[in-house]
Amino acid sequence: MIYRKVRTNLSRTLSAIEQDKATSDDYVKCILADPQIAAYIVQAVVEEFKDMEIDEIIPCMGEPTVTLRFPERLGVKVQNTGSESVDEEDGKIIYDIKFPVYYKGKKKEFIINIEAQKSSKKSKLGYKLENRITYYMGRMISEQKGTEFSGSSYDDIKSIYSIWICMDIKKTDDSIIEFGMKSNLIYGKIKIIPKLSKINGALINVRTRTAKNRELSKNRLIAMLEELFSKSEFLEKKKILEEDYGLKMSVELEGRMNEMCNVSDYWEEVALQTGREEGRKKEQVSLIVKKIKKNKTMAEIADDLEEKEEVIAPIYEAALSMKPDYDVEKIYELLEKNKKLA
């Protein structure tokens, strides 16, 4: 693999927790870029490879470039080679994983991009993920100008696939969604409608499997990814991946899986604590809202809850700004926003 270091958030120093979280993400990228795992993904998404075995697909794949936040923590050597594109806002589009795949020798070449995405929810991202996928697909085509083709040699454009793997899906929502351009005849008669096959994308929705008795996905790729990123005990997970999915555990893959589990366990403990604190805060907001609806003053509410008025004041004022709906979730979001602005 070719590794590059992603230089983001340069305006501030990342906390220890943020560094651990980013390191966990780095391990996920390296695991997804493993030739066996990547071959499973290519087999499931790229039409030309659907009838091929994993062992047949691996030799068709070029060396992947993987971008990492903390490569030094993974003990890998960084190489200065391209896996980024120009973006008007911040100057770069960073691809998690990118590699070429060749069909029937080099007669047909594909450029594959795999993105590990913890969430697909607009409420967390601030945008619809499908719009970002569309942008990535467009950039993967336009950036070929001057590298894969020049002038008006548009027939030399390589087909691209931007494949996004999301890991926060409900237990019944495991799925693979295909994106792409299509052509339709709006008027007239024509024997052959031009096929647009250069721009392709996919969204693979993987459930987080925490319970051992959860039913496996009926899709083989998703079931394998669920097991790969499950909370199962490491040796049990390794055995299942080897016996049920034919993965050969190299020292590198096994080590990264084990380290990912260790970092993820620590991050989950932090996230659990954060979740508890959020729950307590929302409960406090809910109590204050109930008292506001009873026309109680801030002083009366502080007295009832045995809190100082300066503690109650921000919640009281935020709640009043939401009158008459008093939506607890929106009040909490406003409080968090005000905290960041303070």
Side-chain angles (χ1 to χ4, degrees):
M1 294 184 195
I2 299 171
Y3 300 101
R4 297 193 71 252
K5 183 177 177 67
V6 182
R7 299 185 183 279
T8 55
N9 293 315
L10 295 180
S11 62
R12 66 186 182 91
T13 302
L14 296 182
S15 68
I17 292 174
E18 289 173 315
Q19 290 185 37
D20 284 330
K21 180 177 178 291
T23 301
S24 179
D25 292 343
D26 283 350
Y27 280 117
V28 169
K29 294 175 191 177
C30 288
I31 290 168
L32 289 174
D34 181 86
Q36 298 172 92
I37 310 299
Y40 258 100
I41 296 169
V42 169
Q43 182 191 54
V45 175
V46 185
E47 183 66 37
E48 284 82 351
F49 295 91
K50 288 186 176 180
D51 293 328
M52 294 176 64
E53 298 295 329
I54 299 301
D55 288 343
E56 296 174 313
I57 297 173
I58 291 175
C60 301
M61 297 163 49
E63 188 171 23
T65 297
V66 185
T67 54
L68 306 172
R69 296 289 297 281
F70 292 100
E72 60 276 9
R73 288 190 168 198
L74 276 64
V76 299
K77 183 180 179 181
V78 175
Q79 293 177 254
N80 187 21
T81 186
S83 180
E84 59 190 35
S85 179
V86 176
D87 182 281
E88 289 182 358
E89 181 180 353
D90 59 16
K92 297 177 181 178
I93 292 178
I94 304 297
Y95 299 110
D96 284 355
I97 304 162
K98 192 176 179 184
F99 58 93
V101 179
Y102 305 96
Y103 180 66
K104 292 186 176 179
K106 289 196 175 182
K107 291 184 178 179
K108 189 172 184 179
E109 182 179 348
F110 301 87
I111 300 173
I112 308 294
N113 159 231
I114 298 175
E115 297 290 322
Q117 188 75 20
K118 284 195 171 180
S119 177
S120 60
K121 296 180 175 64
K122 183 179 178 180
S123 59
K124 292 184 178 180
L125 299 173
Y127 55 82
K128 291 182 179 179
L129 182 59
E130 56 267 31
N131 291 332
R132 184 179 175 190
I133 295 173
T134 301
Y135 183 57
Y136 272 53
M137 291 192 296
R139 290 298 301 167
M140 289 178 70
I141 289 291
S142 65
E143 68 189 9
Q144 292 184 46
K145 179 79 169 179
T147 55
E148 303 297 339
F149 76 97
S150 59
S152 57
S153 301
Y154 297 110
D155 288 346
D156 293 334
I157 294 175
K158 305 295 189 297
S159 295
I160 65 92
Y161 279 83
S162 188
I163 304 168
W164 296 65
I165 299 174
C166 293
M167 293 173 267
D168 67 338
I169 302 304
K170 296 178 182 177
K171 63 181 181 180
T172 57
D173 289 349
D174 54 314
S175 56
I176 299 178
I177 303 169
E178 189 175 52
F179 301 102
M181 295 180 66
K182 64 178 181 179
S183 50
N184 292 312
L185 182 64
I186 296 176
Y187 170 78
K189 295 181 180 179
I190 187 171
K191 290 183 178 180
I192 300 176
I193 300 176
K195 185 179 180 182
L196 302 175
S197 60
K198 297 292 184 181
I199 303 179
N200 306 279
L203 177 60
I204 302 173
N205 291 313
V206 179
R207 305 167 300 178
T208 301
R209 190 154 62 83
T210 55
K212 292 183 179 180
N213 60 351
R214 176 176 285 185
E215 184 179 352
L216 289 175
S217 172
K218 293 181 181 179
N219 179 272
R220 184 168 174 79
L221 169 63
I222 294 177
M224 187 269 290
L225 291 174
E226 284 179 359
E227 185 59 51
L228 191 63
F229 298 113
S230 72
K231 313 305 177 189
S232 304
E233 194 274 327
F234 176 71
L235 291 178
E236 177 189 353
K237 180 190 299 189
K238 176 186 172 184
K239 181 180 179 183
I240 292 172
L241 290 170
E242 288 178 330
E243 295 181 357
D244 295 353
Y245 300 99
L247 294 187
K248 298 171 184 175
M249 286 292 167
S250 64
V251 174
E252 187 178 55
L253 178 58
E254 184 173 336
R256 283 173 176 165
M257 283 177 57
N258 195 23
E259 288 300 320
M260 179 191 68
C261 291
N262 292 338
V263 176
S264 296
D265 287 345
Y266 171 73
W267 173 246
E268 281 176 13
E269 288 178 12
V270 174
L272 183 61
Q273 180 62 30
T274 303
R276 287 172 181 157
E277 292 174 2
E278 180 180 325
R280 285 193 290 269
K281 190 73 172 180
K282 287 181 179 178
E283 179 62 25
Q284 187 181 37
V285 171
S286 180
L287 287 172
I288 291 173
V289 164
K290 288 176 183 178
K291 293 182 181 296
I292 288 175
K293 288 180 177 179
K294 292 179 180 179
N295 297 317
K296 290 201 172 188
T297 66
M298 184 168 63
E300 289 173 327
I301 295 172
D303 186 56
D304 287 348
L305 299 180
E306 297 181 347
E307 282 282 7
K308 294 180 180 179
E309 283 191 35
E310 55 263 35
V311 174
I312 298 298
I315 304 173
Y316 182 83
E317 292 167 3
L320 286 181
S321 71
M322 298 289 177
K323 186 178 180 180
D325 295 330
Y326 297 115
D327 187 298
V328 172
E329 290 291 335
K330 290 182 179 178
I331 294 169
Y332 175 78
E333 289 175 7
L334 178 60
L335 289 167
E336 290 298 300
K337 181 179 178 181
N338 291 341
K339 187 193 298 182
K340 290 178 181 178
L341 294 174

